């Protein structure tokens, strides 16, 4: 029997020529000897084989920062062994915030190389607790340490670094100023904008400044960037164009801004005095290999159109990366583009013709008929469908008759586009034409005719639709029912009830849905019968219908469905109970929490949360331990539905749990807003303010809207004691407070805002 290797045996193996034996020895030492082998494991960080070094790093990380970090910092002095030094850096970085006390203590090491590596690691870890020390390191005597501190502050993205970095950007040596500008762009604090704009005259810094302004996304930068585009400086005009495109895109996605602010770039460009030069620069930039530059150029050409750009734009409309803005720019060209787009429609390839059709749809009533005729005769269905959408804006006899013909097109998308366009045209003449065409023997045409009727909004179409309910074709009957529902609503209930006996399941399903939408107490009995339909989807729709009517006569049938062997029927019953919120069904719903089907269990949670009594918080809390995030999400939604104060601590816990799934946390944050302001509830404000500074944008966005909803009822939520916010979180809080002040000027003084 082989004996287990001793510690000495393993140390001997570390010197073996075979790298795999060395790697296995590292694993064995870490697993069996732990802390005893720390010195030896750190020595292995200098191994010539990267796999051995990687295994050593993994092993050291498992031992913890308190055991390993001080010795790893000593390994940073291995100036003659880059492999050991890099492995030590990786391990220290992997420790994250737990290594901060040791790193901060070593940031004053007399060796500038150690200070530099420590500074790099602090930046990679990204913990805001390191910011004060990094700010001090901006004044280090060593150039490399200062530059590393500047870069690290940019990675952490903490607003406390803005003012020190602005000072560096103004006064330091060129390379450090360059890095400071980049870091300011990463932090995205608007306070940096005036200083950065003042430094634009320094050509050496112009590119990073322009990039930083694009990252910050402040509308105050738009005018100076447009001036750069118009400056005829070839070295910077394309950089500025790309920055404008990125800035515009950032404003479009900034949910805290008004619509006016989101469109600031095109507004400013349209008013710029050097519009011709802007257009020339934009045309030159269309050849750029940088997609961001091309997008910025297309944005400018949409606002300052130039006929000379039309051939260039036509080349770009088939490029999927920029097709949408290229089409928008062509539409802005107006009549000047017509001859060229006709040429493309008649002689271009399939992709070009499809793109030209998009231009026609965007032109609306201005679309030239000659080009439309060519497009409507195109062999490609996508081209015809897009041209059919454009016809809906013409609203004349040519458009009406052409679209009626397209209702029989073999391509479904063309038919659908023709239906929508005819509904936009409307009018008595169209209704008369629809009535004349209805006796057609072609089912496809009759289906589309009744679909058009449903969207006309006139009761005069009802007799034709009643006739359609008796059509030989099942799809015509279904569409006639839906159209009749849109036009007549409750006045057509008797037709919906009769349709519950139709031979086609899809017709019965539509009838059940319509009875739920428009029925009254007379619809309950037909729907109860429909809940026993042999088609499960018709039965599900009937259950949904009785839930909408909220008639308690349906309870016995719904409870019977809870025991159905068909999972979708059990789900339908739980959905109905969730909507109706009846008393006396709690025990039956509780039984479904043990259902074999996860979706049934999820809806059982939601139904429990909606039931009036007793409070289901305790039962729901146990379900939060589920390993299925969708189940936990349902529990959170149900807790919000209980409207119970007992649910608050559970929601606080989920909303603040950084290890929880993002979708579940978002749901919990929203549920806190649904529960509304409560007396002496300071925890909700703290949790939401903390979430406002979360690293995940989905969490920040949810917190923003929840805080806004609560502040509309209680402004104190925006001024409550909470965590210290920086970067995006602080910007969002300021946006909320400004919106509150605009709506209620007294809020600022009553809440003691400084």
């Amino acid at each position: 029997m082989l004996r287990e290797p001793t510690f000495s045996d393993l140390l001997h193996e570390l010197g073996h020529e075979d790298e795999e034996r060395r790697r296995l020895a590292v694993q064995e030492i870490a697993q069996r000897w732990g802390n005893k082998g720390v010195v030896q494991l750190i020595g292995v960080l200098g191994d010539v084989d990267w796999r051995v070094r990687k295994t050593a790093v993994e092993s050291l990380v498992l031992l913890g920062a308190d055991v390993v970090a001080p010795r790893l910092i000593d390994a940073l002095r291995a100036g003659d062994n880059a492999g050991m030094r890099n492995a030590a850096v990786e391990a220290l970085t992997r420790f994250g915030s737990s290594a901060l006390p040791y790193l901060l203590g070593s940031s004053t090491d007399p060796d500038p190389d150690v200070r530099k590596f420590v500074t790099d690691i602090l930046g990679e870890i990204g913990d805001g607790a390191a910011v004060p020390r990094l700010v001090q390191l901006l004044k280090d005597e060593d150039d490399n340490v200062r530059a590393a501190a500047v870069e690290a502050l940019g990675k952490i993205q903490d607003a406390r670094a803005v003012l020190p970095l602005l000072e560096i950007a103004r006064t330091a040596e060129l390379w450090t100023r360059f890095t400071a500008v980049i870091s300011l762009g990463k932090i995205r604090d608007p306070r940096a904008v005036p200083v950065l704009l003042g430094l634009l005259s320094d050509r050496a810094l112009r590119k990073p400044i322009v990039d930083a302004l694009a990252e910050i996304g402040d509308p105050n930068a738009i005018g100076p960037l447009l001036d750069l585009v118009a400056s005829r400086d070839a070295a910077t005009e394309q950089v500025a164009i790309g920055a404008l495109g990125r800035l515009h895109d950032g404003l479009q996605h900034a949910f805290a801004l008004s619509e006016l602010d989101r469109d600031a770039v095109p507004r400013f460009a349209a008013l710029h005095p050097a519009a011709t030069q802007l257009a020339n620069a934009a045309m030159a930039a269309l050849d750029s290999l940088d997609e961001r530059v091309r997008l910025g150029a297309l944005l400018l050409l949409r606002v300052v159109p130039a006929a000379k750009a039309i051939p260039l734009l036509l080349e770009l409309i088939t490029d999927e990366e920029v097709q949408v803005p290229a089409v928008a720019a062509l539409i802005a060209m107006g009549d000047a583009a017509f001859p060229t787009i006709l040429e493309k429609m008649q002689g271009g390839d399939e992709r070009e013709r499809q793109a030209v059709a998009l231009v026609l749809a965007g032109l609306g009533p201005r679309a030239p008929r000659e080009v439309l005729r060519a497009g409507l005769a195109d062999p490609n269905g996508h081209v015809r469908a897009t041209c059919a959408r454009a016809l809906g804006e013409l609203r004349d006899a040519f458009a009406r008759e052409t679209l009626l013909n397209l209702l029989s097109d073999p391509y479904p998308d063309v038919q659908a586009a023709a239906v929508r366009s005819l509904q936009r045209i409307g009018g008595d003449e169209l209704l008369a034409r629809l009535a004349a065409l209805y006796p057609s023997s072609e089912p496809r045409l009759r289906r589309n005719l009744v679909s058009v009727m449903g969207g006309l909004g006139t009761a005069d179409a009802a007799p034709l639709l009643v006739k359609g309910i008796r059509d030989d074709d099942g799809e015509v009957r279904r569409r006639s029912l839906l159209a009749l529902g849109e036009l007549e609503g409750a006045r057509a209930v008797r037709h919906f009830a009769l349709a519950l006996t139709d031979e086609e399941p899809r017709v019965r399903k539509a009838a059940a849905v319509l009875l739920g939408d428009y029925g009254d107490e007379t619809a309950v009995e037909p729907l109860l019968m429909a809940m026993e339909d042999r088609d499960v989807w018709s039965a599900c729709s009937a259950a949904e219908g009785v839930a909408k009517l909220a008639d308690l006569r349906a309870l016995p049938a719904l409870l019977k469905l809870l025991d159905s062997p068909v999972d979708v029927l059990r789900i339908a019953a739980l959905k109905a109970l969730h909507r109706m919120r009846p008393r006396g069904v709690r025990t039956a719903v509780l039984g479904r929490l043990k259902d074999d089907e996860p979706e049934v269990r999820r809806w059982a949670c939601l139904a429990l949360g909606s039931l009036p009594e007793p409070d289901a918080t305790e039962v729901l809390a146990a379900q939060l331990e589920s390993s299925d995030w969708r189940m936990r999400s349902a529990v959170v939604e149900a807790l919000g539905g209980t409207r119970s104060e007992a649910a608050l601590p559970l929601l606080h816990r989920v909303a603040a749990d950084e290890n929880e799934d993002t979708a579940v946390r978002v749901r919990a944050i929203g549920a806190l807003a649904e529960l509304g302001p409560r007396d002496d509830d300071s925890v909700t404000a703290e949790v939401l303010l903390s979430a406002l500074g979360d690293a995940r944008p989905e969490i920040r966005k949810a917190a923003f809207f929840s805080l806004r909803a609560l502040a509309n009822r209680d402004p104190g939520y925006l001024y409550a004691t909470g965590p210290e916010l920086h970067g995006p979180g602080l910007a969002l809080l300021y946006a909320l407070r400004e919106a509150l002040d605009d709506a209620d000027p007294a809020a600022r003084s009553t809440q003691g805002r400084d």
Side-chain angles (χ1 to χ4, degrees):
M1 182 176 178
L2 294 175
R3 68 177 179 86
E4 287 191 350
T6 65
F7 187 64
S8 297
D9 293 335
L10 293 172
L11 293 182
H12 181 72
E13 285 290 287
L14 290 179
H16 200 281
E17 63 181 11
D18 181 48
E19 60 270 13
E20 182 61 15
R21 290 181 63 170
R22 298 198 304 275
R23 190 184 71 80
L24 292 173
V26 169
Q27 282 185 338
E28 193 79 5
I29 289 173
Q31 291 170 5
R32 291 182 53 205
W33 302 98
N35 296 359
K36 182 178 178 180
V38 168
V39 174
Q40 289 76 18
L41 291 175
I42 288 178
V44 174
L45 294 178
D47 196 280
V48 294
D49 186 84
W50 69 270
R51 291 172 299 174
V52 178
R53 295 197 302 271
K54 181 175 178 61
T55 302
V57 168
E58 298 289 345
S59 301
L60 288 166
V61 169
L62 290 175
L63 294 176
D66 292 337
V67 174
V68 178
R71 294 185 181 275
L72 283 174
I73 290 172
D74 287 338
L76 297 176
R77 306 180 196 280
D80 57 342
N81 191 327
M84 172 177 280
R85 188 176 61 242
N86 292 339
V89 168
E90 180 185 350
L92 286 164
T93 304
R94 293 272 298 278
F95 283 131
S97 298
S98 62
L100 277 185
Y102 306 101
L103 292 167
L104 292 173
S106 299
S107 65
T108 58
D109 194 281
D111 185 341
D113 288 339
V114 172
R115 297 200 304 276
K116 195 266 184 192
F117 291 129
V118 165
T119 302
D120 290 337
I121 296 167
L122 290 171
E124 291 299 328
I125 291 174
D127 193 313
V131 169
R133 179 60 189 142
L134 288 171
V135 169
Q136 292 174 352
L137 288 172
L138 294 176
K139 298 179 180 179
D140 195 277
E141 62 185 20
D142 185 83
D143 293 348
N144 291 329
V145 175
R146 292 197 302 273
V150 169
E151 187 173 352
L153 287 168
K155 290 178 179 178
I156 296 175
Q157 299 179 18
D158 192 299
R160 289 173 292 175
V162 171
L163 297 181
L165 286 175
L166 286 173
E167 183 62 24
I168 295 289
R170 281 192 294 255
T171 62
E173 62 277 6
L174 178 60
W175 177 247
T176 309
R177 294 169 67 204
F178 196 97
T179 309
V181 169
I182 294 173
S183 291
L184 286 165
K186 291 178 180 178
I187 296 173
R188 300 181 181 179
D189 192 307
R191 290 177 296 168
V193 171
V195 176
L196 293 176
L197 291 176
L199 295 173
L200 273 175
S201 58
D202 189 334
R203 295 179 61 84
L205 292 175
R206 192 169 287 173
K207 184 181 185 307
I209 289 174
V210 168
D211 286 336
L213 291 171
E215 288 293 329
I216 295 170
D218 191 312
N220 290 316
I222 296 172
L225 287 173
L226 287 168
D227 291 339
L228 280 179
V229 175
S231 66
R232 303 178 187 271
D233 182 352
T236 56
E237 64 180 22
Q238 289 201 8
V239 177
I241 288 173
L244 284 165
R246 289 160 57 199
L247 202 158
H248 176 69
D249 186 59
L251 293 175
Q252 292 294 298
H253 292 89
F255 54 85
L257 294 181
S258 67
E259 291 296 329
L260 191 64
D261 287 333
R262 289 194 183 108
D263 285 329
V265 174
R267 280 194 298 110
F268 278 66
L271 298 172
H272 199 274
T276 302
Q277 183 53 32
L278 289 179
N280 291 338
M283 284 188 288
L286 291 177
D287 291 330
S288 173
L289 298 177
D290 187 335
E291 182 185 340
R292 295 176 302 180
V293 174
R294 290 195 296 165
L295 289 171
L298 290 168
L299 173 65
L300 289 179
L301 286 172
R302 196 183 79 201
V303 187
V304 284
K308 293 182 294 183
I310 293 173
L312 299 173
L313 294 172
L314 283 168
E315 292 179 12
L316 290 176
I317 59 175
T318 57
D319 186 334
E320 292 183 2
E321 293 181 342
V322 295
Q323 184 180 68
V324 172
V327 166
L330 263 175
I331 291 170
M333 300 294 167
D335 295 355
F338 292 170
T340 313
I341 63 173
L342 174 60
E343 182 182 336
K344 283 288 183 184
M345 181 62 84
Q346 292 175 332
D349 61 31
E350 191 171 273
R351 291 177 62 208
E352 289 174 329
R353 299 197 310 276
Q354 288 183 31
V356 168
L358 290 174
V359 178
L360 293 174
L363 285 169
R366 296 183 296 149
R369 282 169 172 70
E370 189 176 0
V371 185
L372 278 172
R373 287 191 184 95
L376 292 165
D378 197 280
N380 182 277
H382 289 297
V383 174
R384 298 198 304 278
T386 308
C387 290
R389 289 199 293 272
L391 276 174
E393 302 299 328
L394 297 187
R395 304 175 188 274
D396 58 14
F398 162 73
R400 184 182 66 240
E401 295 305 315
T402 304
L403 288 167
L404 287 170
N405 289 331
L406 290 176
L407 292 177
S408 299
D409 192 281
Y411 193 66
D413 283 0
V414 177
Q415 299 170 38
V419 167
R420 289 192 295 271
S421 290
L422 284 167
Q423 289 172 340
R424 286 200 299 274
I425 291 173
D428 293 340
E429 292 182 8
L430 174 60
L431 185 59
R433 292 287 290 123
L434 295 173
L437 289 171
Y438 182 77
S440 167
S441 60
E442 184 186 356
R444 177 169 58 194
L445 177 59
R446 298 200 305 277
R447 294 171 188 171
N448 289 322
L449 288 170
V450 296
S451 293
V452 175
M453 292 177 197
L456 292 180
T458 172
D460 293 339
L464 291 171
L465 293 173
V466 172
K467 184 178 180 181
I469 294 174
R470 299 190 293 270
D471 197 278
D472 293 336
D473 182 76
E475 181 60 15
V476 173
R477 298 198 300 275
R478 187 186 74 86
R479 294 193 187 189
S480 296
L481 273 175
L482 295 176
L484 197 60
E486 290 184 38
L487 289 180
E488 294 287 281
R491 294 191 297 273
V493 165
R494 65 185 181 87
H495 296 295
F496 305 151
L498 287 172
L500 287 175
T501 61
D502 194 279
E503 63 183 18
E504 287 274 359
R506 55 186 169 172
V507 178
R508 300 198 300 273
K509 180 177 182 293
V513 171
L514 290 165
L515 275 175
D517 288 340
Y518 301 111
D520 52 22
E521 65 275 4
T522 63
V524 175
E525 290 299 331
L527 283 172
L528 290 177
M529 294 179 60
M531 285 173 63
E532 299 180 3
D533 196 298
R534 62 186 179 275
D535 176 68
V536 296
W537 300 112
S538 297
C540 287
S541 296
E544 180 183 354
V546 295
K548 291 176 181 176
L549 297 178
D551 195 302
L552 294 180
R553 285 178 291 169
L555 282 185
L558 291 172
L559 292 174
K560 181 180 177 181
L561 277 190
L562 280 183
D563 294 324
S564 169
V566 182
D567 53 11
V568 294
L569 290 177
R570 300 198 300 278
I571 293 169
L574 287 166
K575 287 182 176 179
L577 293 172
H578 172 59
R579 184 184 186 106
M580 293 174 67
R581 303 173 64 118
R583 296 179 181 273
V585 299
R586 187 174 190 267
T587 302
V589 174
L590 277 173
R592 289 299 114 202
L593 286 177
K594 298 178 181 179
D595 199 282
D596 293 334
E597 173 58 42
E599 190 68 3
V600 174
R601 298 196 298 271
R602 193 172 79 83
W603 274 102
C605 278
L606 292 170
L608 275 174
S610 68
L611 297 181
E613 291 179 332
D615 188 351
T617 301
E618 185 176 346
V619 175
L620 291 170
Q623 304 300 319
L624 277 176
E625 304 305 317
S626 170
S627 59
D628 183 352
W629 70 267
R630 289 165 297 189
M631 184 65 173
R632 298 196 304 277
S633 180
V635 174
V636 166
E637 184 177 348
L639 286 169
T642 64
R643 307 293 179 188
S644 167
E645 190 168 340
L648 274 176
L650 295 169
L651 292 173
H652 290 153
R653 189 186 84 195
V654 176
D657 186 355
E658 295 184 355
N659 295 318
E660 179 58 89
D661 184 88
T662 299
V664 179
R665 285 186 68 195
V666 166
R667 178 80 71 181
I669 290 168
L672 288 172
E674 290 172 13
L675 287 175
R678 294 177 182 248
D679 294 338
D680 301 323
D681 176 23
S682 61
V683 180
T684 294
E686 292 174 12
V687 168
L688 293 179
L689 286 169
S690 179
L692 205 60
D694 196 272
R696 285 172 279 189
E698 302 94 334
I699 302 295
R700 296 199 300 271
K701 185 173 183 178
F704 176 90
F705 286 114
S706 288
L707 277 167
R708 187 171 72 177
L710 290 169
N712 284 337
R713 289 169 278 179
D714 180 1
Y717 273 84
L718 298 188
Y719 300 91
T721 301
E724 187 175 0
L725 291 173
H726 308 288
L730 185 62
L732 290 174
L733 181 59
Y734 282 159
L736 280 168
R737 287 179 175 175
E738 287 169 5
L740 176 66
D741 291 342
D742 289 342
D744 181 9
R748 179 180 305 193
S749 58
T750 57
Q751 297 303 324
R753 179 184 177 190
D754 56 23

